[in-house]
Amino acid sequence: MLFCSRLASLAPLALACALFAQPADPVPALLAQMTVEEKVAELTQRGGGEPLGPDPAANARELDKLLVQARAGAVGSYLGACGAAHTNRLQAATLERSRLKIPALFAHDVIHGYRTIFPTPLAESSSWDPDLAERTAAVAAREARAGGVRWTYAPMVDIARDPRWGRIVEGAGEDPRLGALFAAARVRGFQGPTSADHAAVLPADRLLACAKHFAAYGAAEGGRDYNIADTSLLTLRQVYLPPFKAAADAGVASFMTAFNEVDAVPATASTFLLRAVLRDQWRSPAVVISDHSAVSELVAHGVAADRRDAARLALRAGTDIDMACDAYADHLAALVKDGLVPMPDLDAAVERVLRLKARAGLFVDPMTDETLEARVLLAPEHRALAREAAVRSMVLLKNENSTLPLKPGLRRVLLTGPLADSGRDILGTWAALGKGGESVTPLAGLKPLAARASFDLRHEPGCKPAADDAAALARALDEARQADVIIAVVGEEETLTGEGRSLSMIELPAPQQRLLEALKATGKPLVVVLMIARPLALSWVADNADAVLIAWHGGTEGGSALADVLSGDKNPSGRLTVSFPRNPGQIPIHYNHKPTGRPNQPGNRFTTGYLDVPITPLYPFGHGLAYTTFALSPVRVASTVLQPGNVLTAQVDITNTGDRPGDEVVQWYVRDPVASITRPVKELLAFSRITLGPGETRTVRLSIPVAELAFLDASGNLVLEPGEFRLHAAGGAMRTPDVVLTLKPKM
Ligand code: GLC
């Protein structure tokens, strides 16, 4: 296949055209010709970002180093290289002297958008809309491909039950079933319609996806990033692995190993995870890449004597690519020559990487059309989707006296809080190429609303994100006393969230808390808008604000979306996918907890509980309000007797009992009260979003194979036991009584 036209377009580099007379499958022939050094290069990944420092001369020197190593054929893939011109330059240098013309693969952390930034993944999961996640991932892929990226290190599918862990923001919350649905949706969004086919070349606007961090990274002890994740094999199977399995079933092209140990073996060297589970049980041919420097970190873990030993352990366990620490580059060739790494192990890893490159279309056309970026990045339809996603992600936690939506006839509104006009913080962590200056902040979003509704919008931050400012506070209070309503945008600067940003105390920063208390003292209606990445302990806010809306780090269009919701143009419909604790002392806290032998009885100290707080969260998983109200009928079932192999069907009627249209998320929960092992007090079985007009009633149907009532055992087998099951339906703020079902034994 001739891609000469692409190279020729790089006239300054005057590169010879390389002809790819491609057989149907170039991999076997390539592998047969490769030297050990060329094979090791394919397993080596280094940083490749364009040098963009303040000193042009230093940038030129750094770029030259990148090009020299590219020409030397030392790097099979790059982390962080993006921008069509830059990736083309690196690719041309790679191909210029490459003996076998194997293109380089460019990877980037495109977690929730590339240049158009969507709500953070945890925020987006609050939409309970996997199709939305698939659509936003597809747009992120389209933009990233225009920038020369072909592989994203997403979706992050770690189940997290501990908001002290900064990375809870990157996943889909605490429930394995919902997490699995979002994992598969995001994989399909990134990889496109051929996602399930590892042999198919991805469409030109899609990305290779990467399920991370394999596995149980979210179980970090103490919520402390990079700490051990000490979980039983049963909990690993039932809670942490299901989203990875869903990603594997969706055809995810790669997995990234977690930093932590699993059952006392670091994931990067875990034959249990990388061979027994991923290859033998799940039959996945995906590439496994280590997390950043995780191969060398086997030494710090204490399972490798040195980096040479670490390289041996990691490769033999099944880690194909060494991200950014050169343990493979420095030691793998010698390990093979010394017989400590069998050539078949090396070849298997190289073959998977070559197939990954083939799937990325690199053997068809390794260059990027440099005219695409101007047309694709931040396209209006991408912004529109970002706005829609931010609206559907927002969660209304409280709305006393229907404080929201803002009433017609308002004269003067104070917008305060240190995050009310922060373009960068609203993008959240892992914002790729998102630019704060391209965001719509809450202030920018509310201005058109003020003009339309003819109210005077006043803006006074009142404090800094992490520092008091007496003068600013005085101005804010002065404005508050003259306002009809106060909107306070508070929460977390994005630099407090994401990787390496665990917190022992999960409260609003003290200056922001003081601002809220002073605003409350004015007696004016107080709307608290939370620009947060994780659950915080919000008891004071819950008790004292008139309305509380989680806007999360809503992305490029977060401010527009906030105006849509505050105005009532859009009805908030998000539901929590993670529990909000009353204080950190309750952590870990999650809805699908075990009953224990002494289930909590308030007032009875000899049952599981605390003396100082209830064991219930401040806001539970699944919680969320709307500008209207809903009612659920009792659940109806065709039969209370279930047979294995049958389908469980149930119905519930939902009515919009308010005077506005609204969305509800009807959630189905089940409990297995008696089993051979302890089972959670309830587990999410299925859910569906529904839009209802005022007064409208519709029937929501559940239809799910009885096999879905099974649980996973420690070996990963599904176990379906006869006996009683209790089923109920729920919405954002209500539930039905249980219906008792009986599963008959298998005949
Ligand atoms: C980081 C993160 C991982 C990311 C990788 C590359 O340490 O753990 O999620 O994809 O390095 O940036």
Side-chain angles (χ1 to χ4, degrees):
M1 164 77 76
L2 179 66
F3 66 89
C4 188
S5 57
R6 287 261 186 261
L7 290 175
S9 71
L10 301 166
L13 299 169
L15 288 173
C17 292
L19 294 181
F20 271 94
Q22 283 304 324
D25 175 3
V27 171
L30 278 175
L31 194 57
Q33 300 171 67
M34 293 171 77
T35 65
V36 169
E37 286 67 26
E38 287 166 335
K39 292 176 181 175
V40 171
E42 286 308 305
L43 309 187
T44 296
Q45 180 175 107
R46 289 182 184 153
E50 183 173 6
L52 296 171
D55 176 359
N59 291 342
R61 286 194 299 275
E62 285 307 305
L63 177 59
D64 195 49
K65 283 182 198 166
L66 277 177
L67 296 176
V68 164
Q69 80 174 345
R71 291 190 190 98
V75 183
S77 58
Y78 289 92
L79 156 67
C82 58
H86 178 60
T87 53
N88 277 344
R89 194 165 36 207
L90 270 180
Q91 192 68 281
T94 300
L95 294 172
E96 187 181 322
R97 294 190 197 145
S98 162
R99 185 172 71 88
L100 296 172
K101 301 298 176 209
I102 301 174
L105 176 56
F106 299 113
H108 199 69
D109 289 287
V110 183
I111 310 297
H112 55 108
Y114 176 75
R115 180 71 173 274
T116 303
I117 304 302
F118 298 101
T120 56
L122 182 66
E124 187 180 67
S125 73
S126 307
S127 68
W128 290 61
D129 186 351
D131 291 343
L132 172 70
E134 186 169 342
R135 288 190 288 141
T136 59
V139 166
R142 188 173 309 130
E143 293 196 351
R145 276 300 291 268
V149 175
R150 300 217 185 188
W151 185 14
T152 179
Y153 296 138
M156 186 274 214
V157 303
D158 297 305
I159 295 297
R161 297 166 156 179
D162 189 332
R164 292 172 297 182
W165 189 51
R167 303 199 76 167
I168 193 171
V169 65
E170 298 175 44
E174 69 192 41
D175 181 75
R177 189 179 292 272
L178 186 133
L181 288 167
F182 271 86
R186 287 173 172 148
V187 167
R188 290 193 303 269
F190 285 126
Q191 299 189 159
T194 61
S195 178
D197 180 358
H198 286 268
V201 174
L202 295 182
D205 62 351
R206 301 290 182 149
L207 292 176
L208 299 166
C210 181
K212 71 183 187 183
H213 306 76
F214 195 45
Y217 185 20
E221 206 162 83
R224 202 172 75 234
D225 210 351
Y226 315 123
N227 199 3
I228 67 165
D230 194 8
T231 171
S232 69
L233 282 180
L234 198 59
T235 300
L236 181 76
R237 289 283 189 183
Q238 294 180 351
V239 175
Y240 297 104
L241 289 185
F244 288 99
K245 175 65 167 53
D249 292 345
V252 72
S254 59
F255 286 75
M256 183 185 292
T257 62
F259 288 120
N260 53 279
E261 63 182 59
V262 174
D263 212 19
V265 177
T268 304
S270 170
T271 53
F272 166 70
L273 282 177
L274 305 181
R275 293 197 186 284
V277 173
L278 186 61
R279 306 293 184 212
D280 300 345
Q281 281 191 323
W282 296 351
R283 320 301 295 170
S284 170
V287 159
V288 174
I289 183 170
S290 77
D291 202 338
H292 198 294
S293 308
V295 173
S296 298
E297 290 171 10
L298 296 177
V299 178
H301 273 289
V303 296
D306 51 31
R307 289 172 70 249
R308 172 182 157 94
D309 202 23
R312 178 182 62 80
L313 282 172
L315 193 283
R316 299 219 59 192
T319 294
D320 298 323
I321 295 178
D322 164 12
M323 182 195 292
C325 73
D326 277 358
Y328 284 8
D330 294 345
H331 299 290
L332 210 40
L335 285 164
V336 172
K337 288 188 171 83
D338 295 348
L340 294 173
V341 167
M343 184 65 84
D345 284 7
L346 180 71
D347 286 349
V350 174
E351 180 174 357
R352 282 190 286 267
V353 174
L354 292 176
R355 293 203 180 287
L356 187 73
K357 292 188 170 184
R359 191 173 182 188
L362 286 170
F363 293 120
V364 174
D365 183 354
M367 312 310 281
T368 299
D369 177 351
E370 295 183 27
T371 67
L372 275 177
E373 283 168 316
R375 299 200 303 270
V376 169
L377 303 190
L378 280 174
E381 63 272 22
H382 297 175
R383 278 189 173 270
L385 180 60
R387 182 168 182 166
E388 177 193 348
V391 165
R392 292 168 81 86
S393 305
M394 291 186 189
V395 183
L396 183 63
L397 295 178
K398 178 183 180 183
N399 193 20
E400 286 293 285
N401 310 316
S402 299
T403 303
L404 290 177
L406 298 175
K407 297 292 174 289
L410 282 175
R411 191 181 39 83
R412 192 160 167 160
V413 173
L414 169 63
L415 176 66
T416 184
L419 301 178
D421 196 29
S422 170
R424 176 61 194 87
D425 289 312
I426 204 167
L427 297 181
T429 189
W430 292 114
L433 274 66
K435 298 184 187 315
E438 293 164 350
S439 306
V440 179
T441 66
L443 176 60
L446 283 169
K447 282 181 178 172
L449 173 62
R452 227 178 26 248
S454 306
F455 61 75
D456 182 4
L457 179 65
R458 317 288 289 195
H459 172 234
E460 278 296 345
C463 70
K464 294 182 176 55
D468 293 299
D469 180 332
L473 178 59
R475 289 194 301 272
L477 294 178
D478 180 46
E479 286 291 348
R481 294 184 193 99
Q482 304 172 65
D484 298 326
V485 65
I486 303 165
I487 299 170
V489 181
V490 294
E492 298 177 289
E493 292 174 284
E494 69 85 14
T495 50
L496 289 177
T497 73
E499 183 177 359
R501 290 164 170 162
S502 299
L503 289 171
S504 68
M505 300 304 285
I506 51 168
E507 272 117 16
L508 281 173
Q512 297 184 47
Q513 182 61 37
R514 282 190 281 272
L515 169 66
L516 291 181
E517 290 172 15
L519 291 167
K520 174 68 180 175
T522 66
K524 292 300 180 84
L526 176 61
V527 174
V528 173
V529 174
L530 296 165
M531 195 181 284
I532 55 177
R534 74 178 94 202
L536 296 181
L538 297 165
S539 294
W540 184 91
V541 170
D543 293 340
N544 291 281
D546 296 285
V548 185
L549 176 72
I550 307 179
W552 306 106
H553 290 130
T556 305
E557 287 289 337
S560 317
L562 180 61
D564 291 342
V565 170
L566 291 178
S567 67
D569 288 351
K570 298 291 182 187
N571 201 328
S573 57
R575 299 291 180 263
L576 295 180
T577 58
V578 62
S579 305
F580 273 58
R582 299 171 191 276
N583 66 46
Q586 287 187 305
I587 295 168
I589 185 167
H590 47 92
Y591 86 94
N592 45 1
H593 62 81
K594 298 296 186 70
T596 78
R598 294 197 172 193
N600 176 253
Q601 292 169 13
N604 178 346
R605 61 185 265 234
F606 298 107
T607 64
T608 187
Y610 303 100
L611 288 178
D612 55 344
V613 291
I615 71 163
T616 52
L618 182 64
Y619 294 111
F621 176 88
H623 175 75
L625 305 178
Y627 291 155
T628 186
T629 49
F630 299 96
L632 285 173
S633 73
V635 168
R636 300 186 298 274
V637 289
S639 164
T640 58
V641 176
L642 303 172
Q643 300 291 346
N646 279 11
V647 174
L648 162 57
T649 59
Q651 298 181 355
V652 70
D653 296 333
I654 178 168
T655 302
N656 178 342
T657 50
D659 56 7
R660 284 172 175 267
D663 284 15
E664 179 54 279
V665 177
V666 177
Q667 306 151 43
W668 296 90
Y669 293 92
V670 70
R671 178 174 188 177
D672 182 354
V674 179
S676 58
I677 58 171
T678 59
R679 306 287 298 121
V681 294
K682 68 179 189 179
E683 287 184 290
L684 182 69
L685 197 56
F687 59 87
S688 54
R689 281 181 70 111
I690 186 167
T691 301
L692 293 169
E696 184 182 4
T697 295
R698 285 182 37 203
T699 298
V700 174
R701 288 174 176 75
L702 170 71
S703 175
I704 195 165
V706 166
E708 291 290 322
L709 299 177
F711 61 78
L712 285 161
D713 66 14
S715 304
N717 304 311
L718 281 169
V719 179
L720 182 61
E721 296 178 338
E724 186 181 301
F725 287 87
R726 296 175 190 160
L727 176 74
H728 74 266
M734 60 195 162
R735 62 156 286 173
T736 69
D738 282 338
V739 168
V740 178
L741 306 169
T742 304
L743 174 61
K744 290 297 187 190
K746 200 165 185 175
M747 302 309 281

